[in-house]
């Protein structure tokens, strides 16, 4: 992960939409038929089954969901996951704001489409 080409990874995510496929698999329906809540819940299932993160939490803060994720894999891992998750929510029509560090990702997923 330390030597990944972020532009190539972003192209891969944009073209192939890997997390979208996985979330649809767990939800058993197309993303365009899912609410933002369902997509967030589907993503939580992915996190739980994949053990991608050390801790995973999300809260409903009224106008948005706040995802709080921790890991021990460094800044590049945060960047790769940020790219992937923002792609998922963009596909769903949701706006997101992210803050990342070497071991955390905080993402606001706004409910209004």
């Amino acid at each position: 992960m330390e030597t990944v080409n972020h532009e190539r990874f972003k192209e891969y995510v944009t073209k192939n939409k890997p997390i979208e496929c996985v979330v649809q698999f767990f939800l058993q329906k197309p993303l365009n038929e899912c609410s933002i809540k369902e997509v967030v819940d589907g993503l939580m299932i992915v996190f739980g089954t994949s053990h991608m993160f050390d801790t995973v939490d999300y809260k409903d803060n009224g106008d948005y969901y706040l995802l709080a994720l921790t890991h021990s894999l460094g800044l590049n891992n945060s960047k790769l996951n940020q790219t992937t998750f923002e792609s998922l929510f963009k596909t769903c029509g949701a706006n997101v704001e992210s803050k990342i560090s070497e071991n955390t990702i905080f993402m606001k997923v706004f409910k209004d489409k």
Side-chain angles (χ1 to χ4, degrees), residues 25-39:
F25 172 79
F26 282 111
L27 295 177
Q28 292 294 295
K29 63 182 183 179
L31 288 178
N32 63 356
E33 294 178 11
C34 298
S35 68
I36 297 300
K37 168 100 169 84
E38 288 175 306
V39 174

Side-chain angles (χ1 to χ4, degrees), residues 1 4 6 9-10 13-14 18-20 43 47 52-53 67 69 71 74-91 94-102 104-109:
M1 283 187 271
V4 70
H6 289 278
F9 182 78
K10 189 172 184 176
V13 168
T14 301
I19 196 72
E20 288 86 342
L43 195 55
F47 295 157
M52 293 172 57
F53 296 96
L67 282 64
L69 314 167
H71 62 85
L75 185 58
N76 276 350
N77 184 63
S78 291
K79 289 178 183 178
L80 296 174
N81 282 301
Q82 177 186 22
T83 298
T84 304
F85 305 148
E86 285 183 356
S87 171
L88 169 67
F89 291 114
K90 182 178 179 181
T91 298
N95 292 317
V96 296
E97 288 179 8
S98 303
K99 292 183 181 182
I100 63 170
S101 72
E102 286 189 14
T104 61
I105 300 170
F106 294 102
M107 184 174 287
K108 289 181 181 181
V109 181

Side-chain angles (χ1 to χ4, degrees), residues 26-27 40-50:
F26 282 111
L27 295 177
V40 169
D41 288 341
L43 195 55
M44 293 300 119
I45 293 169
V46 171
F47 295 157
T49 58
S50 68

